[in-house]
Amino acid sequence: MKPMNDTEISEFLLLGFAEDPELHPLIFGLFLSMYLVTVLGNLLIMLTTISDSHVHTPMYFFLSNLSFVDICFNSTTISKMLVNIQTQSKAITYAGCITQIHFFVLLIELDILLLTVMAFDSYVVICFPLHYLVIMKPHLCGLLILVSWVVSVLYALLQSLMVLRLSFCTDLEIPHFSCELNQVVQLACSDTFLNEVVIYVAAILLGGGPLTGILHSYSKIVSSIHAISSAQGRYKAFSTCASHLFVVSLFYCMSLGMYLSSAVTENSRSTSASVMYTVVTPMLNPFIYSLRNQDLKSALRRLFERER
């Protein structure tokens, strides 16, 4: 196959799901419903944490940021897929694909860093309850969010520039519903060794590093909870971080499943795993936090009562 300079590439083809046009309305309706649930659920959490003074704490400040990122993350991939299904087109422009990769990488990394920050917050509130407000001051919370954004933007910019240096052949079919970094790199005709090194090193540092921090935080949390004498006290302490622990487990299990499936299984299963990772996880987060968190449920109840 003849390599093409990136300036000559006009578009990629997103093969997505079923080839049968009769299934497209079903897929469109399903993903539109999931997208709307994700957006409305996360918007509701953001509105609740902003409007209710009872939840103006660092924990809910980080949660509202996570909800905002989940909305953006879902919109990055699902909106283009819905447009393609509706127009019966599989094309995405070269610039559109690079842009999608940039925001996909940015928001994934930001999700990881926010979950790490929230684990640290849970560690402080359980292990140092009397010093919580002294440690988690507003300027520290703002600094943690700022650092997370800066690291994520720089990492996404690096990966985008690394893709821009590649040359592609005439085979520009991506066996997914979005432009995923690994899939696009695999299509390149030029040497991708440097891209792969950057991807794997970044996965270890920016994926494994935060995971290590989360595991360390929860090891300390478990030790502190175990030291509490009363069963009621242990339950109350565990319920404080149970929602976040469930979200972290879901996020990393889905991430691992997506990358393992893309490496060892056929495209249809890899696409299904990608859907679970990019669509289902952001959709479930509002339900997990609202159903298992008494403070948030009370804040939601007060919000609805004010509306009435």
Side-chain angles (χ1 to χ4, degrees), residues 107-253:
L107 295 167
I108 282 287
E109 184 57 33
L110 194 53
D111 236 350
I112 292 172
L113 293 177
L114 284 176
L115 289 174
T116 308
V117 169
M118 293 173 73
F120 173 71
D121 177 76
S122 298
Y123 161 71
V124 175
V125 75
I126 291 176
C127 297
F128 306 99
L130 299 179
H131 300 90
Y132 177 68
L133 295 179
V134 176
I135 298 173
M136 300 302 293
K137 293 181 179 179
H139 76 272
L140 177 61
C141 297
L143 181 62
L144 290 172
I145 295 297
L146 178 61
V147 170
S148 299
W149 272 98
V150 170
V151 171
S152 302
V153 168
L154 291 177
Y155 173 55
L157 184 61
L158 172 63
Q159 292 290 11
S160 301
L161 293 175
M162 293 294 295
V163 174
L164 285 171
R165 60 181 284 275
L166 297 175
S167 298
F168 294 90
C169 299
T170 53
D171 183 13
L172 299 176
E173 295 181 345
I174 300 174
H176 278 273
F177 61 90
S178 65
C179 288
E180 292 185 0
L181 179 62
N182 290 337
Q183 296 290 334
V184 173
V185 170
Q186 290 174 12
L187 293 178
C189 288
S190 55
D191 184 21
T192 61
F193 175 75
L194 187 58
N195 293 73
E196 291 172 356
V197 168
V198 171
I199 290 173
Y200 289 119
V201 170
I204 294 172
L205 295 179
L206 299 178
L211 178 59
T212 303
I214 291 172
L215 293 176
H216 176 73
S217 296
Y218 274 101
S219 67
K220 296 295 184 181
I221 288 172
V222 170
S223 299
S224 296
I225 292 176
H226 184 70
I228 299 174
S229 57
S230 67
Q232 184 178 1
R234 285 196 296 268
Y235 175 79
K236 185 177 180 181
F238 178 76
S239 64
T240 303
C241 60
S243 298
H244 178 259
L245 181 60
F246 190 83
V247 168
V248 169
S249 302
L250 182 66
F251 181 86
Y252 275 97
C253 287

Side-chain angles (χ1 to χ4, degrees), residues 12-19 81 90 92 97 171-188 258 261-263 265-275:
F12 291 90
L13 294 179
L14 301 174
L15 300 184
F17 296 99
E19 294 288 340
M81 187 194 73
K90 297 181 179 180
I92 181 171
C97 190
D171 183 13
L172 299 176
E173 295 181 345
I174 300 174
H176 278 273
F177 61 90
S178 65
C179 288
E180 292 185 0
L181 179 62
N182 290 337
Q183 296 290 334
V184 173
V185 170
Q186 290 174 12
L187 293 178
M258 185 185 76
S261 63
S262 64
T265 64
E266 59 187 12
N267 290 336
S268 60
R269 293 185 181 180
S270 176
T271 303
S272 301
S274 180
V275 169

Side-chain angles (χ1 to χ4, degrees), residues 92-113:
I92 181 171
T93 64
Y94 176 77
C97 190
I98 299 299
T99 302
Q100 194 174 69
I101 288 174
H102 176 81
F103 283 102
F104 186 89
V105 172
L106 188 159
L107 295 167
I108 282 287
E109 184 57 33
L110 194 53
D111 236 350
I112 292 172
L113 293 177

